[in-house]
Amino acid sequence: VFEKGFKPRRTIILGSWDGEEFSVLGSTHFVHKSEYELLSRCVVYINSDCPVKGHKTFSARTDSLLIDSLINAAKLVPVDPPINMQSFYDEWLNNKISDRNEPVITSLGGGSDHIPFAYRLGIPSTYPEFLPDDGLYNTPVYHTAYDIIDFVERFTDPASPFTGHFPRHRLIARLILTLIIQFACAPRLPLSILRCSQRLLDDWLKFMELVTHQIPNISEYDVNLGKFLIFVRIYRIIYRPNPWKLLIFFNSSFFL
């Protein structure tokens, strides 16, 4: 594609981190070393840590700022071309549907190298992966001597009879590449600003409900949770016409 004149608007960096099992040492060191540049220029981090742990269930662990981009990428990616040209989004939608009539998308959580990017610097991050089955996170042989290519070919990601080996690996690669192209080439970053603000508001309301239930007399401690709620609502109204200001607000006030 580069020979045909393709040039992304933004730099794409591929990173490979060591020491993940020892408190994500490699990625944390990189973030500390490059903190100023990352804060100034990094717009998204896509994590890939054993992204195919199975072939049954797709897990979309995603920052709320990236939900729309992930959904759009899934709509563009076929499941297993050229035999199965159904969009991956349609397959994903058949697994579980949320109350928004969309696939279930969970919060980012921890457990991998996105931690320093997402939680130290506030960089929007996503960690898409396939899991063995509903309710399982890893195969029984994970991190054992039996966790080898033969097991992957036979159980974790069995070959398609028409398109060859590792169909889920190839699918997750297409999905991640589509996400990369979206963020590298879009004139305006495809961030879900309103989703993020709504998620923040919903989570804060749940937190307020929990706190007031556990501590009914919280007002006696001179703690006013309502002030923060009003603060969030004001910023949602003021910055809705200009989502870039809202993005700066979230990054500077909540994640750092």
Side-chain angles (χ1 to χ4, degrees), residues 9-10 37 42 72 82 95 151 199 214 232 246-247:
R9 293 173 179 268
R10 300 175 184 88
E37 184 177 8
C42 185
N72 291 336
N95 291 338
F151 185 89
R199 174 74 66 86
Q214 297 292 332
V232 172
L246 185 62
L247 174 63

Side-chain angles (χ1 to χ4, degrees), residues 1-201:
V1 290
F2 286 100
E3 293 177 353
K4 295 181 180 180
F6 170 77
K7 184 178 181 180
R9 293 173 179 268
R10 300 175 184 88
T11 302
I12 301 170
I13 298 177
L14 302 180
S16 180
W17 318 121
D18 199 359
E20 189 270 346
E21 294 293 346
F22 304 97
S23 302
V24 292
L25 291 179
S27 54
T28 300
H29 174 75
F30 177 80
V31 165
H32 279 262
K33 181 181 178 181
S34 311
E35 182 170 346
Y36 177 78
E37 184 177 8
L38 291 171
L39 281 173
S40 303
R41 301 180 60 191
C42 185
V43 298
V44 66
Y45 175 78
I46 302 173
N47 196 60
S48 182
D49 177 11
C50 301
V52 181
K53 301 176 176 68
H55 62 278
K56 295 287 187 181
T57 305
F58 180 68
S59 171
R61 298 170 55 183
T62 302
D63 188 304
S64 55
L65 282 168
L66 305 181
I67 290 177
D68 289 324
S69 295
L70 184 62
I71 288 176
N72 291 336
K75 291 179 178 178
L76 294 172
V77 171
V79 173
D80 194 9
I83 301 301
N84 186 353
M85 296 302 294
Q86 177 191 30
S87 78
F88 174 58
Y89 178 80
D90 292 335
E91 179 186 283
W92 181 17
L93 195 62
N94 290 331
N95 291 338
K96 286 184 178 180
I97 300 178
S98 69
D99 53 4
R100 296 172 59 100
N101 291 321
E102 293 177 340
V104 173
I105 297 175
T106 59
S107 58
L108 190 59
S112 192
D113 288 297
H114 59 273
I115 292 174
F117 292 89
Y119 300 127
R120 177 175 175 82
L121 301 186
I123 295 170
S125 304
T126 182
Y127 182 8
E129 57 183 347
F130 283 100
L131 304 180
D133 205 346
D134 193 21
L136 293 177
Y137 182 70
N138 264 316
T139 62
V141 302
Y142 184 63
H143 281 351
T144 72
Y146 298 97
D147 194 1
I148 57 177
I149 295 296
D150 179 66
F151 185 89
V152 174
E153 291 180 322
R154 294 170 60 190
F155 302 106
T156 306
D157 191 11
S160 163
F162 301 104
T163 58
H165 295 288
F166 310 121
R168 289 310 198 190
H169 282 81
R170 289 185 279 111
L171 173 54
I172 201 82
R174 289 193 295 272
L175 180 67
I176 290 176
L177 181 60
T178 303
L179 274 172
I180 291 173
I181 296 300
Q182 283 184 350
F183 278 91
C185 299
R188 183 172 180 174
L189 291 172
L191 296 172
S192 311
I193 303 297
L194 296 182
R195 278 188 189 263
C196 184
S197 63
Q198 187 62 50
R199 174 74 66 86
L200 178 65
L201 183 60

